[in-house]
Amino acid sequence: MPKIIIDGNEIEFKQGQTIIEAAKDHGIEIPHFCWHPKLSVSGNCRMCLVEVEKMPKLVIACATVASEGMVVHTQSPKTIAARNAVMEFLLINHPLDCPICDEAGECKLQDYAYQHSIGESRFVEEKVHKDKRVKIGPRVMFDAERCISCSRCIRFCDEIAKDSELTFTRRGDRVTITTFPGEELDNPYSMNVVDICPVGALTNADFRFKARVWDMSHTNSICIGCSRGCNIEIWVRNNEILRLTPRHNEDVNSYWMCDHGRLNTFKFVNSETRVNSPHIRKEGQLIRVSWDEAFAEAASRLRTFGKDQIAVIGSAYATCEDNYLVSKFAKNILGTGNLDFIRHIDYSFADDILRKEDLTPNSLGAELMGVKPLKNGLNVEEIIKSIKEGKIKALYLIEDDILTADPEIETYLAKLELLIVHAANFNQSTNFADIVFPAATYAEKNGTFINFQGRLQRIRPAVATIEVDRALEGMALSRLDKFGTKFDRWAQGKHFDARATWKILTSLSNAFGSRWKYKMAEDVFDEMVSSIPELKGLNYDIIGDLGVQLKLEKVNVV
Amino acid sequence: MAQTSDSLKKRKKDLTFWQKIYIPEIAKGLALTFKNMIRPKFTMEYPEEKFIPPPSYRGRPVLVLEETGEERCVACGLCSRVCPALAIEVQAAETEREKERYPQKFEINMLRCIFCGLCEEVCPEEAIVMSKDYELAFTNREDAIYGKDKLLTPVSQLKDRIEFLRKYK
Amino acid sequence: MNITEIIIVSLIKIVFVLGITLLTVAYLVYFERKIAAWAQNRIGPNRVGWQGILQPFADVFKLLLKEDIVPEKANRIVHAIAPMIALFVAFTTYAVIPIGPNVNIFGYDISLVVADVNMGVLYVLALTSLGVYAITFAGWSSGSKYSLLGGIRSSAQMISYEISMGFSIGGVLLLAESLRPIDIVNSQAGLWNAIIQPIGFITFVVSAFAETNRLPFDLPEAEPELVGGFHTEYSSMKFAGFFLAEYANMIIASAMIVTLYLGGWHLPFEQSLGLSGSWLTVFQITSFFVKMGAMLFFFIWVRWSIPRFRYDQLMNLGWKVMFPLSLINIIWVAVIIMITN
Ligand code: SF4
Ligand code: SF4
Ligand code: SF4
Ligand code: SF4
Ligand code: FES
């Protein structure tokens, strides 16, 4: 392999790589604004200037292709002086907006102002004024004064979202970003420009002014918006999710996620409709009861039905661990083969960037865990049919809404003698339920999902439920979580009395007299590993942050 | 160490005879305290007579209320971040005014505050300053959490401190 | 006087002396606080009553109402007895202190002393050395290291200074040729012992400070190092007992100094005033109390002027300075007697 020398270190590079790429591969960071590993090179910010021996002038590392024997200096006096100069130019017209800017704390310009600038301005004239608070798209706010004209957002729309909406207009210090006439920044991936904008020019309209980044904890997780399973970070303050951001995983979602996933997959966690503690229907009303009472009631009522009168519906929203126990519960405890889960397919959602037609994160997982009809067992359609016919008298529904599978079933649900639902939020099905167990959401539990590619990925708890202590559980802690006491209003965020489905089923089956001993999701996973050949040799540590690709025979559930 | 014992020795040697027999020295000490007994007293009889601190005094932090009736604070949260005692909670929200942000909620827990003045020092808007108010007593924890109603103070009452800050900060 | 009369008179005297002492103790605390304040340019207690005059009562009620806490590891009986011993010793000593010459009331010739014992001085010495038991017991029974250290320090200190105290008194006894306090007072009608034997006076005063555990010799309490010394583990009325005893001891010490060295109720020029009999008595009693008051003021004044001694300094001073000085004093008195005879 060819070699170049950067700051005295000899490093290898692949033919065709630029200096900045070669350096990045070896952990050398060259400051840059406009370069992005997934976008084309535009070379307009000049922040990445480096000194290359035998070249007459400094060159930009993002556009200079490395060649054998090149000697590059990233810390020479000349480069440092050049960087200082670039920063000084950038800051000439940059407003002193940090106090009101949502980017503060994760802003490249701020960071570089500390690292690469002398921190003094010689500019005494009035700064150029441009538009502020522009709603450039339905989900994105634009502040023209803060823009440093790196063109990352333009290139993103052109190259990644494949929907050219943005462009530069005007020239010199008046240059600004705008949408093409009659257009809005409204492509389904528009909010990624918020992440890649190195400054606070483009900000998240939904998250606007909600919290400072340094007040939040962030937890690695997986988006549940579709079966792509984009890697994300969940940002939490005071036990409330405030935003999601994509996390780099080249095999799944690269640096991106779609706006639907970013905005619509976390609000239910802290919503008013959450089921808080178990409920039992008494005299037509759902009444809050204790866990023990709910378990006893569920067990004693389930016992009164014959095997063929019961059906269990698992969930592609629930984790593999949950579904594994659902299937075990149905087969071993209830002894029924009427076991399946509801598919949520919407072809109009899919595109050829990230979005998939399957709107659940774990269909493959549910199936692999054995949530499917046994021989002579009924599948979802047949279960629904049997309910209508009155053959199925008891339904155990996990984390889903059966009305989404067949709206007509509403009239027949009342006919059921027993409907038990695990639900995070009250929904149409809980309206008919006799017993509702509050299910922990994906943001409150450990577990695994299998995405459409057959990739096994982990989710982690970011929000604490009532029985969880963040610190003891090893959850991510913000500064406020670390030091808050029960007397601080900023540490009294809502904690719901909910449990993961695997945990509920463990207690319930013990009420049936079996002795399940799962203390944590990992215990369930370890048992899965020993009984499901596809998972052989895996554990949570191996799955890690980026997941592992499974070898599945059939890779498409649809 | 050697040095100290040397200097000790020297000191003992340097004592005069009268100092060594100690009694005149006691008399001197007694005379001094007696002199003080008949000097004017410094005691300020507090609730009747109040101490008005100089501008350099750091009483409870307050928010500056402009003459226009708006608060200066833009809810940047820097004071909350710098506060070593985590006394401050700020929740920002959007306003139609030019400054875009304002504190929808601004609370200082006076039981946490240690009157260090770092919030005042870090504030980019000169929006939080240390007042001269030192009369802080509560009968329950909730009362000690001061919201915007108690924090906002007209700028006219804070002239002293702001002048002091501009001069010395 | 028959036996009933003697008992009645004695009872009246006891009640009188006890009442005065308790009141004096209470106000002594008040003045201690006032003088401390003045020395520090403060005002001192002034909220309870006019100029804080009722402060002592507030203090007493506060102490009375406090919870009595006894440490788990304490020896409860000894712990309770210790303050009683302290109080008992402090108050019984008053019995032999004469406050004035004999007076004639309703035809009775009454000496102004509760018990006119002919070996009164010995009695005082004996009782005050019992006082060390209170402190030692308190220190030992509390089951706390601070208390124990305080108790041990105090026994060592008291024993050491008792010696120089005893020898200083020796000089006085030689001159008065009696152990009776009244005789000692009367022997000073002309010239006070303080003037005849200044060394004895100084050693006695210093020893008195040490015996009463007052600054600069308050090592048994020494707040900064021992928290509170022997009474660290005491609260409520038991603590008040020690507190009272300390101040009562101060009064005794002052009274003893006045009796032994400052001419008791005698003033050098009293005869030249030409006062008639009973007025002279009143004058003399007043002079006794004024002298005593001055001594008490001195006690307090010293406390707020001189810092505490280190323990080794205290022992050095007791054994290597005070003890030899008191011996010198005896020789000095002996020489005087030899010359005047
Ligand atoms: S808005 Fe942001 S990403 Fe777009 S050109 Fe300006 S600075 Fe770059
Ligand atoms: S593409 Fe799918 S997984 Fe990715 S963010 Fe969108 S909804 Fe979530
Ligand atoms: S630092 Fe100043 S402007 Fe920022 S939140 Fe605090 S008071 Fe408001
Ligand atoms: S004075 Fe110090 S402790 Fe008090 S609120 Fe300000 S920063 Fe916090
Ligand atoms: S990163 Fe190279 S010019 Fe912007």
Side-chain angles (χ1 to χ4, degrees):
Chain A
M1 270 225 217
K3 292 190 176 112
I4 58 171
I5 297 169
I6 299 185
D7 293 337
N9 305 316
E10 200 176 54
I11 61 173
E12 293 181 341
F13 66 96
K14 294 187 212 85
Q15 204 56 260
Q17 270 190 321
T18 55
I19 298 176
I20 206 168
E21 283 167 344
K24 183 168 181 264
D25 285 351
H26 291 84
I28 300 170
E29 153 106 7
I30 296 174
H32 58 274
F33 286 114
C34 69
W35 178 74
H36 188 282
K38 286 286 142 185
L39 300 176
S40 62
V41 172
S42 79
N44 60 8
C45 75
R46 318 312 282 182
M47 190 62 194
C48 62
L49 284 171
V50 290
E51 190 177 352
V52 178
E53 276 177 21
K54 304 210 186 73
M55 291 222 186
K57 291 205 288 184
L58 301 184
V59 296
I60 50 174
C62 66
T64 309
V65 178
S67 60
E68 175 70 46
M70 237 181 198
V71 183
V72 180
H73 299 286
T74 71
Q75 302 298 337
S76 67
K78 254 174 148 180
T79 28
I80 289 173
R83 260 178 230 150
N84 276 336
V86 171
M87 283 304 293
E88 193 175 351
F89 274 123
L90 284 176
L91 292 173
I92 278 182
N93 278 314
H94 200 84
L96 272 174
D97 265 0
C98 300
I100 57 165
C101 177
D102 266 341
E103 187 82 0
E106 50 185 10
C107 172
K108 251 188 157 58
L109 192 65
Q110 263 186 346
D111 293 350
Y112 287 173
Y114 277 103
Q115 292 162 9
H116 304 297
S117 156
I118 39 170
E120 299 258 327
S121 173
R122 287 173 284 178
F123 187 74
V124 291
E125 292 78 5
E126 185 161 354
K127 299 192 177 210
V128 173
H129 287 291
K130 298 180 193 166
D131 294 341
K132 298 177 85 74
R133 272 203 267 198
V134 182
K135 205 147 176 48
I136 201 164
R139 299 175 288 274
V140 180
M141 296 293 292
F142 174 59
D143 186 311
E145 284 184 359
R146 294 180 199 154
C147 173
I148 57 166
S149 308
C150 70
S151 82
R152 271 181 173 191
C153 51
I154 301 175
R155 282 175 284 145
F156 174 82
C157 291
D158 294 351
E159 298 162 18
I160 306 292
K162 307 255 168 31
D163 188 354
S164 302
E165 288 158 336
L166 297 177
T167 186
F168 281 128
T169 55
R170 316 188 78 176
R171 313 197 53 180
D173 62 4
R174 321 230 152 236
V175 68
T176 186
I177 295 282
T178 187
T179 48
F180 287 110
E183 292 250 28
E184 266 196 311
L185 177 61
D186 60 356
N187 66 65
Y189 296 87
S190 67
M191 294 177 83
N192 289 296
V193 300
V194 173
D195 302 325
I196 57 170
C197 179
V199 291
L202 294 165
T203 51
N204 182 333
D206 177 66
F207 177 66
R208 190 166 167 83
F209 302 163
K210 284 246 176 78
R212 288 322 219 160
V213 288
W214 53 78
D215 281 343
M216 295 182 284
S217 65
H218 48 98
T219 307
N220 291 349
S221 191
I222 300 297
C223 173
I224 56 162
C226 76
S227 60
R228 168 72 60 176
C230 291
N231 289 212
I232 57 165
E233 276 181 294
I234 304 179
W235 295 75
V236 171
R237 188 192 63 181
N238 198 6
N239 216 37
E240 184 182 357
I241 304 181
L242 295 176
R243 68 166 181 181
L244 306 179
T245 56
R247 176 163 59 90
H248 180 221
N249 186 343
E250 210 43 57
D251 296 319
V252 183
N253 58 318
S254 189
Y255 291 90
W256 327 114
M257 76 188 289
C258 77
D259 293 1
H260 164 74
R262 195 190 292 254
L263 291 179
N264 304 334
T265 59
F266 70 88
K267 293 190 176 150
F268 69 94
V269 174
N270 290 91
S271 99
E272 288 296 312
T273 63
R274 275 299 290 276
V275 183
N276 196 8
S277 85
H279 286 66
I280 292 182
R281 190 171 298 279
K282 291 178 181 162
E283 290 154 12
Q285 291 288 315
L286 280 177
I287 308 288
R288 284 176 72 164
V289 296
S290 72
W291 284 94
D292 288 340
E293 186 179 343
F295 289 137
E297 171 95 1
S300 73
R301 290 185 63 179
L302 278 171
R303 277 205 189 97
T304 59
F305 297 96
K307 292 177 182 180
D308 296 336
Q309 296 174 316
I310 304 182
V312 176
I313 295 187
S315 170
Y317 293 113
T319 61
C320 293
E321 287 75 357
D322 295 335
N323 280 304
Y324 177 76
L325 288 195
V326 168
S327 121
K328 191 168 168 182
F329 180 74
K331 292 171 195 160
N332 298 1
I333 309 279
L334 300 179
T336 178
N338 306 328
L339 172 66
D340 203 356
F341 65 94
I342 303 168
R343 276 79 177 163
H344 298 268
I345 307 296
D346 177 2
Y347 289 98
S348 70
F349 182 77
D351 60 24
D352 46 15
I353 303 172
L354 293 176
R355 293 156 63 123
K356 303 303 290 180
E357 58 283 347
D358 178 357
L359 301 183
T360 60
N362 198 27
S363 300
L364 276 186
E367 205 159 287
L368 186 64
M369 294 308 123
V371 179
K372 51 191 167 197
L374 296 191
K375 247 186 276 148
N376 312 326
L378 308 175
N379 65 19
V380 173
E381 287 79 32
E382 291 159 350
I383 290 173
I384 289 174
K385 198 161 145 259
S386 308
I387 291 174
K388 288 179 180 167
E389 289 165 0
K391 286 186 197 148
I392 294 282
K393 297 209 164 69
L395 177 62
Y396 202 120
L397 178 62
I398 306 284
E399 299 187 40
D400 212 326
D401 188 355
I402 192 167
L403 274 89
T404 57
D406 179 6
E408 280 166 25
I409 198 171
E410 181 163 357
T411 44
Y412 299 94
L413 280 182
K415 275 196 187 167
L416 280 173
E417 282 168 31
L418 176 62
L419 174 58
I420 302 179
V421 181
H422 288 200
N425 301 68
F426 288 107
N427 57 25
Q428 286 165 293
S429 295
T430 60
N431 288 342
F432 299 93
D434 300 291
I435 301 172
V436 182
F437 285 106
T441 61
Y442 79 105
E444 290 158 337
K445 60 186 176 188
N446 267 303
T448 49
F449 289 145
I450 301 178
N451 81 346
F452 80 102
Q453 302 159 298
R455 193 178 182 86
L456 185 69
Q457 309 191 95
R458 272 191 70 186
I459 59 167
R460 292 173 184 76
V463 174
T465 54
I466 207 162
E467 27 176 48
V468 166
D469 179 294
R470 292 193 90 89
L472 296 182
E473 207 76 3
M475 291 168 63
L477 294 171
S478 69
R479 196 173 66 113
L480 301 179
D481 295 328
K482 257 183 228 157
F483 300 113
T485 69
K486 61 177 178 177
F487 302 115
D488 293 306
R489 289 197 188 149
W490 40 262
Q492 291 167 351
K494 184 97 181 121
H495 287 58
F496 290 100
D497 187 9
R499 292 180 190 171
T501 282
W502 66 262
K503 206 169 181 182
I504 298 171
L505 289 176
T506 303
S507 307
L508 183 56
S509 55
N510 289 341
F512 273 95
S514 65
R515 293 213 184 80
W516 290 7
K517 292 209 187 68
Y518 314 109
K519 290 255 176 313
M520 40 188 191
E522 212 166 347
D523 296 341
V524 184
F525 187 81
D526 290 344
E527 187 178 312
M528 282 152 52
V529 170
S530 57
S531 63
I532 299 173
E534 283 86 345
L535 300 178
K536 204 159 177 266
L538 290 177
N539 63 35
Y540 273 9
D541 289 341
I542 295 176
I543 303 170
D545 284 333
L546 298 179
V548 291
Q549 182 66 45
L550 301 180
K551 288 196 186 66
L552 304 181
E553 283 164 19
K554 178 181 140 209
V555 190
N556 209 340
V557 271
V558 184
Chain B
M1 272 324 279
Q3 216 182 350
T4 23
S5 62
D6 274 1
S7 61
L8 270 183
K9 252 180 235 154
K10 200 167 150 220
R11 276 186 56 195
K12 212 162 195 177
K13 196 183 71 203
D14 283 351
L15 293 180
T16 65
F17 171 73
W18 289 109
Q19 282 168 334
K20 270 187 204 154
I21 64 167
Y22 200 39
I23 288 176
E25 293 300 309
I26 293 178
K28 267 197 224 163
L30 289 173
L32 182 74
T33 40
F34 192 79
K35 228 172 36 210
N36 274 294
M37 283 186 209
I38 50 182
R39 269 178 41 190
K41 311 295 175 223
F42 284 113
T43 309
M44 201 173 257
E45 297 211 51
Y46 164 61
E48 293 91 31
E49 196 184 346
K50 280 186 181 147
F51 168 58
I52 299 172
S56 60
Y57 185 81
R58 298 199 304 261
R60 78 175 169 95
V62 297
L63 287 178
V64 179
L65 186 68
E66 297 279 21
E67 265 134 26
T68 55
E70 295 165 8
E71 70 276 278
R72 275 191 189 169
C73 173
V74 295
C76 69
L78 290 186
C79 50
S80 164
R81 175 64 186 89
V82 79
C83 178
L86 285 91
I88 306 181
E89 182 187 6
V90 191
Q91 178 59 56
E94 184 148 13
T95 148
E96 289 310 309
R97 277 177 262 142
E98 200 200 334
K99 64 179 193 180
E100 296 189 31
R101 276 169 85 113
Y102 81 105
Q104 186 184 49
K105 169 158 107 179
F106 196 108
E107 288 179 349
I108 304 186
N109 185 342
M110 295 315 299
L111 291 178
R112 272 187 176 268
C113 177
I114 55 171
F115 306 96
C116 61
L118 290 186
C119 48
E120 172 188 64
E121 200 172 320
V122 81
C123 180
E125 307 288 330
E126 204 175 64
I128 189 167
V129 298
M130 306 304 278
S131 70
K132 293 183 179 181
D133 184 5
Y134 50 81
E135 292 182 309
L136 298 159
F138 326 97
T139 47
N140 66 52
R141 282 200 167 89
E142 283 298 299
D143 290 354
I145 300 179
Y146 281 18
K148 266 168 80 174
D149 50 333
K150 290 203 187 123
L151 291 174
L152 284 171
T153 312
V155 62
S156 55
Q157 291 173 26
L158 301 167
K159 285 225 168 74
D160 264 17
R161 180 67 184 179
I162 290 174
E163 227 164 76
F164 171 84
L165 290 176
R166 294 203 174 143
K167 214 146 112 210
Y168 298 106
K169 191 164 133 181
Chain C
M1 285 203 281
N2 58 30
I3 190 77
T4 8
E5 283 170 348
I6 291 178
I7 291 176
I8 290 172
V9 169
S10 297
L11 275 181
I12 292 174
K13 282 198 261 187
I14 290 173
V15 170
F16 185 73
V17 168
L18 213 60
I20 296 235
T21 324
L22 279 175
L23 212 64
T24 328
V25 166
Y27 276 92
L28 198 53
V29 179
Y30 169 72
F31 278 111
E32 168 109 54
R33 291 176 63 178
K34 272 287 188 196
I35 291 168
W38 293 336
Q40 296 161 355
N41 298 339
R42 294 185 286 114
I43 296 177
N46 69 343
R47 294 274 152 180
V48 194
W50 177 80
Q51 286 296 306
I53 206 81
L54 297 177
Q55 185 71 39
F57 298 100
D59 288 348
V60 168
F61 282 120
K62 185 199 79 175
L63 281 171
L64 269 175
L65 295 174
K66 285 221 160 174
E67 187 190 350
D68 182 22
I69 300 166
V70 181
E72 201 180 294
K73 294 272 159 61
N75 181 328
R76 289 179 162 266
I77 298 170
V78 182
H79 191 261
I81 286 176
M84 294 184 204
I85 298 181
L87 272 182
F88 170 79
V89 168
F91 285 118
T92 41
T93 321
Y94 284 104
V96 297
I97 308 242
I99 56 172
N102 288 9
V103 289
N104 201 308
I105 303 172
F106 309 128
Y108 295 113
D109 185 35
I110 296 173
S111 61
L112 289 184
V113 56
V114 177
D116 186 6
V117 197
N118 56 11
M119 36 106 238
V121 173
L122 274 189
Y123 172 83
V124 173
L125 281 183
L127 276 180
T128 44
S129 41
L130 275 184
V132 72
Y133 283 106
I135 290 176
T136 322
F137 281 1
W140 175 80
S141 68
S142 290
S144 145
K145 56 186 173 222
Y146 294 124
S147 305
L148 187 62
L149 278 175
I152 289 172
R153 277 186 180 190
S154 111
S155 36
Q157 174 178 336
M158 288 205 160
I159 290 164
S160 313
Y161 278 82
E162 224 151 61
I163 300 196
S164 51
M165 193 167 191
F167 279 102
S168 321
I169 294 179
V172 176
L173 300 183
L174 283 180
L175 275 181
E177 296 174 10
S178 166
L179 282 167
R180 250 180 95 198
I182 293 185
D183 290 344
I184 295 173
V185 170
N186 284 332
S187 77
Q188 301 175 69
L191 212 51
W192 291 357
N193 277 338
I195 297 168
I196 303 173
Q197 34 179 317
I199 299 182
F201 176 61
I202 289 172
T203 50
F204 186 84
V205 170
V206 172
S207 309
F209 271 92
E211 287 286 296
T212 49
N213 293 333
R214 292 282 301 179
L215 257 160
F217 304 118
D218 69 336
L219 281 101
E221 299 170 23
E223 296 97 348
E225 30 194 296
L226 293 183
V227 188
F230 63 88
H231 60 58
T232 303
E233 305 295 349
Y234 279 89
S235 55
S236 183
M237 269 325 271
K238 288 187 196 147
F239 172 75
F242 280 118
F243 204 65
L244 281 180
E246 178 184 336
Y247 283 88
N249 281 334
M250 242 168 95
I251 298 177
I252 295 166
S254 310
M256 284 298 289
I257 292 170
V258 173
T259 308
L260 296 181
Y261 290 93
L262 298 179
W265 59 81
H266 287 299
L267 280 177
F269 50 86
E270 59 194 3
Q271 297 305 337
S272 55
L273 291 175
L275 290 167
S276 69
S278 43
W279 281 116
L280 183 66
T281 313
V282 171
F283 177 78
Q284 286 176 326
I285 296 174
T286 318
S287 94
F288 177 84
F289 281 115
V290 169
K291 284 184 210 168
M292 205 171 93
M295 269 325 291
L296 287 172
F297 175 74
F298 184 68
F299 262 91
I300 297 172
W301 185 13
V302 166
R303 167 164 183 193
W304 297 102
S305 303
I306 302 175
R308 178 181 308 122
F309 277 69
R310 227 169 41 220
Y311 197 66
D312 59 324
Q313 292 173 331
L314 174 91
M315 282 298 159
N316 271 340
L317 185 73
W319 288 103
K320 296 193 193 157
V321 181
M322 289 300 146
F323 179 44
L325 277 182
S326 54
L327 288 179
I328 291 174
N329 181 54
I330 289 189
I331 296 168
W332 164 255
V333 174
V335 169
I336 290 184
I337 292 175
M338 250 167 63
I339 296 170
T340 47
N341 276 4

